[in-house]
Amino acid sequence: MTHDAPAMRLIERPFVNEDPVGLWPFHLHGLIRATIRTTQDNTDDRWSPRGWTRAAERAFEALGEQWTTSPAPNRLLLIGCLRQGLRLARDFRLELGWLAGAAWAYISDSIWEPLAPPAAGHAPATTGLETAADALVETLSALSRRQHEHRERTVDRLTQVIDTGLLPTDLHEMALYYQAKAQRDLGRTDDSRHGMQQVANGGGRLAPAAPRGLAHLARLAGDFPTALATARTLDWAGRHHRVEGDVWWVQSEMERAAAAYEAARGEAEEHGVAGERATCQAQRAFVLVFTDPALADDELDLAQQLLSGLDLRATRLTSQIASLLRDAGTTGDIEDRASILRTETSLAGLTSAAATLELAMAFHHAVRGAHSDLLAAITRLRELARNGEYAYYIDLAHFMGSLGLPAQPRSQPQWINGEQTTRQQWHRLVMARRHHLGAAP
């Protein structure tokens, strides 16, 4: 050659890629795979389409055997097998087989690693979802991507899967359950309630978790006695302690809520569910920061440690709001931090996080005695609660500032301890923070 550059580019090309942290670290470059599969090869040992399918079936069975015969739960092995198994089943239109059980194992830890395989390069072109494997790939992709996409997108993707009817009954209910959860995040409570009730009536794997969703919906509507009564009928599968904590902190029973979240975190540790453990700890830090900002530092640090390596957008936002609450009443950069969090909650489509953020800011303004800012926070809460969800947060903001409630419209929540006691306890938290900061009463 006149020039060495073409040869140098050739020998430096990564024909074999390496992922040092992967279960199987070496893989052939995608361009090489595509070229081999599509080449017009007339040699005696060329592969027919049926030959490729048989090879895919053997590889698929081998992956399933490796996962199902593993002596102990191994998340790295599960994800490695799922990523390759989903691709094989989708590209070669295989039956789900062991993928169904692996999908349930995937969601059990609430970690949500990305799973969606790249677009098929050699399989026949398809439009939409045509096989159960197509539907399962889309379902698990939607569940993992919801940590990075707006919840409306999650609902749309899962609705498409549900409408096809391609998944077997248990996996169909998985899509239905998470669709209902995303609808709740968007404030679409009637749709969410209908979906959760369907899952509960179905008696499948997620039937014990569906009443938890119904308890959450009762809490959002301000029906706290029903939410608490439902929580007491649940067990670990229904996350009973966490549901109780969610009810108690709204009543300003912070110590009681913190104890419930601690018990929930302990159960999550016993069952080895990392995502649930992090969520419970973030909630525990959030409620304790109202009563003791100094003590909450350790709780927030633990929440950050437990979140390390996990992809939990809502839980991470809870932790960030708790950090903001820790500094409530001070001047600093709270407004700037709140502005950033408003953008993040809006991009995520998380009404719950948006409402909680505005409640935290109402607490901040009440501590400072900034009447006009508190009214502005109440206005933002009223806008978020226009569909009825989290309307009782408006009451809480009034309680914090010792303000009278408007005559109309009223959410009329059913407080566990009565309205007057709840009002006094929330205002007491504001006064305690002022005392902590050395501010005038």
Side-chain angles (χ1 to χ4, degrees), residues 158-207:
L158 293 177
T159 299
Q160 182 186 16
V161 170
I162 292 166
D163 289 348
T164 66
L166 290 169
L167 290 174
T169 301
D170 60 336
L171 293 175
H172 178 85
E173 289 185 354
M174 177 194 290
L176 190 62
Y177 174 80
Y178 283 99
Q179 178 201 49
K181 285 192 67 173
Q183 288 167 334
R184 185 186 73 215
D185 290 336
L186 291 167
R188 292 160 54 177
T189 53
D190 289 341
D191 291 338
S192 179
R193 186 176 293 107
H194 178 69
M196 287 294 179
Q197 195 62 62
Q198 279 188 269
V199 176
N201 294 341
R205 294 198 193 199
L206 288 171

Side-chain angles (χ1 to χ4, degrees), residues 60-209:
F60 183 77
E61 291 171 2
L63 287 167
E65 183 177 358
Q66 184 156 4
W67 179 70
T68 56
T69 60
S70 176
N74 185 326
R75 189 77 186 179
L76 182 63
L77 177 63
L78 170 65
I79 299 305
C81 290
L82 264 177
R83 284 176 177 160
Q84 297 200 46
L86 286 169
R87 183 174 187 171
L88 288 168
R90 181 203 63 185
D91 291 359
F92 292 92
R93 308 173 79 83
L94 306 180
E95 298 294 326
L96 293 181
W98 60 270
L99 284 177
W104 286 106
Y106 170 74
I107 71 167
S108 65
D109 284 343
S110 301
I111 297 178
W112 313 117
E113 302 94 332
L115 286 178
H122 70 285
T126 59
T127 57
L129 307 177
E130 298 187 356
T131 68
D134 290 335
L136 183 57
V137 168
E138 181 65 5
T139 298
L140 297 182
S141 174
L143 297 188
S144 63
R145 285 295 303 165
R146 71 196 173 117
Q147 306 301 328
H148 307 278
E149 295 178 339
H150 195 283
R151 286 297 195 269
E152 192 69 55
R153 171 67 175 150
T154 304
V155 169
D156 290 344
R157 296 180 70 179
L158 293 177
T159 299
Q160 182 186 16
V161 170
I162 292 166
D163 289 348
T164 66
L166 290 169
L167 290 174
T169 301
D170 60 336
L171 293 175
H172 178 85
E173 289 185 354
M174 177 194 290
L176 190 62
Y177 174 80
Y178 283 99
Q179 178 201 49
K181 285 192 67 173
Q183 288 167 334
R184 185 186 73 215
D185 290 336
L186 291 167
R188 292 160 54 177
T189 53
D190 289 341
D191 291 338
S192 179
R193 186 176 293 107
H194 178 69
M196 287 294 179
Q197 195 62 62
Q198 279 188 269
V199 176
N201 294 341
R205 294 198 193 199
L206 288 171

